[in-house]
Amino acid sequence: MTLRLGYGTNGLTDLRLDDALGLLADLGYDGVGLTLDHMHLDPLAPDLAARTRQVARRLTGLGLGVTVETGARYVLDPRRKHGPSLLDPDPDARAARAALLVRAVEVAADLGAHAVHCFSGITPPDTTTDTAWKRLTGALALVLDAADRAGIPLAVEPEPGHLLATLADFHHLRTLLGDPGPLGLTLDIGHCQCLEPASPVDCVKEAAPWLRHVQIEDMRRGVHEHLPFGDGEIDFPPVLEALASTGYAGLTVVELPRHSHAGPELARTSIDFLRRATGTTNGAAPC
């Protein structure tokens, strides 16, 4: 098996999208985690279909695969980070987030993406856990219907501090929704190190049947801070070997959203690190 390596555009926000894609192709990446945001394929600006076709042509020309990511901080509300969420007390606000995810599914289909990534959001104050889960499942219903029609998996990410924070929470969501076919998992390797009871290697093995997207970076136990490789505590060779052995065929995307100031250099050092960690020099991870 081989791992297909990508880099997230949320770590290249100082670059034009066309330049970012060219950089990643030149460095030897297999694909890109494309965050829909005002600087990179704005999902709310006019002529989205035409702009999406242009990006699709660019991706094809460069030979890059793509995952559509939806973690833009202020794409819906310029005053609330990641707001509104799927847990917002206002039904119209929840509907706005769900509509953005449906639009992301449509963009993903037009790009030939292998998944759409999303997360639950933080439980609002004065909201019971049961209420939060009801809001989440209700808001996701339309998104999952759109994903099913498009044939694009919806890959939900356990995010520290969110309602859906762990692999156990992902399985709880599966149960509440009746285990729908389009529902999959985004596994963030750093998050496994941060707060999962199992090791990152064991998390990969446990998550394998539901893996639809993978994000990767270094991290320390108990501290939710995305770090360049080598700055945290993760032993990556066994993690990458475990991931390759699952048969996962999507992208494994470097996720450094707070490091755009050094994005081009970190894109280079990250792929060099991952190649060394997999014992290869051409970007393919043997197993």
Side-chain angles (χ1 to χ4, degrees):
M1 289 292 174
T2 61
L3 294 181
R4 300 173 60 228
L5 302 178
Y7 200 93
T9 59
N10 60 2
L12 296 168
T13 55
D14 293 313
L15 275 68
R16 298 177 183 87
L17 179 57
D18 192 67
D19 292 337
L21 298 179
L23 169 73
L24 298 182
D26 288 346
L27 289 171
Y29 281 96
D30 302 295
V32 59
L34 175 57
T35 296
L36 303 182
D37 207 346
H38 63 88
M39 78 295 288
H40 290 155
L41 195 55
D42 187 342
L44 303 182
D47 301 321
L48 177 60
R51 290 182 288 112
T52 300
R53 286 193 296 271
Q54 183 177 359
V55 173
R57 288 192 295 269
R58 178 66 166 156
L59 289 167
T60 299
L62 294 171
L64 293 174
V66 61
T67 303
V68 171
E69 301 195 355
T70 60
R73 293 184 178 96
Y74 296 100
V75 69
L76 285 176
D77 188 331
R79 293 172 176 81
R80 284 194 297 163
K81 180 182 177 183
H82 298 313
S85 79
L86 296 171
L87 308 181
D88 199 286
D90 182 352
D92 291 338
R94 294 198 301 275
R97 174 61 62 173
L100 177 67
L101 295 180
V102 169
R103 184 167 295 190
V105 169
E106 294 166 350
V107 169
D110 290 341
L111 293 177
H114 73 79
V116 169
H117 147 277
C118 70
F119 44 67
S120 68
I122 297 169
T123 302
D126 303 319
T127 301
T128 67
T129 301
D130 284 347
T131 295
W133 282 109
K134 288 176 182 176
R135 289 176 184 168
L136 179 61
T137 55
L140 282 178
L142 289 176
V143 186
L144 288 166
D145 285 346
D148 192 28
R149 291 192 302 271
I152 302 290
L154 184 69
V156 179
E157 178 189 6
E159 182 78 24
H162 285 211
L163 173 69
L164 198 156
T166 65
L167 287 173
D169 294 331
F170 169 73
H171 292 304
H172 182 57
L173 178 66
R174 287 178 51 238
T175 299
L176 290 175
L177 288 169
D179 202 13
L183 180 65
L185 172 69
T186 292
L187 186 69
D188 187 300
I189 301 301
H191 294 173
C192 297
Q193 176 70 21
C194 178
L195 85 168
E196 291 285 354
S199 69
V201 168
D202 288 338
C203 286
V204 168
K205 294 176 181 177
E206 176 192 339
W210 300 278
L211 280 183
R212 301 297 180 267
H213 184 43
V214 174
Q215 297 173 344
I216 192 166
E217 70 286 314
D218 217 339
M219 205 168 284
R220 300 186 183 101
R221 184 70 179 171
V223 182
H224 184 203
E225 181 182 3
H226 291 234
L227 299 172
F229 298 116
D231 288 0
E233 301 169 339
I234 300 175
D235 181 16
F236 281 97
V239 175
L240 296 168
E241 182 179 0
L243 185 57
S245 69
T246 67
Y248 168 69
L251 291 172
T252 298
V253 172
V254 178
E255 186 80 358
L256 293 172
R258 296 184 182 273
H259 292 78
S260 281
H261 62 283
E265 176 63 11
L266 280 171
R268 182 189 65 79
T269 58
S270 294
I271 197 168
D272 288 347
F273 179 95
L274 292 170
R275 286 169 173 171
R276 290 194 302 271
T278 55
T280 183
T281 58
N282 63 4
C287 75

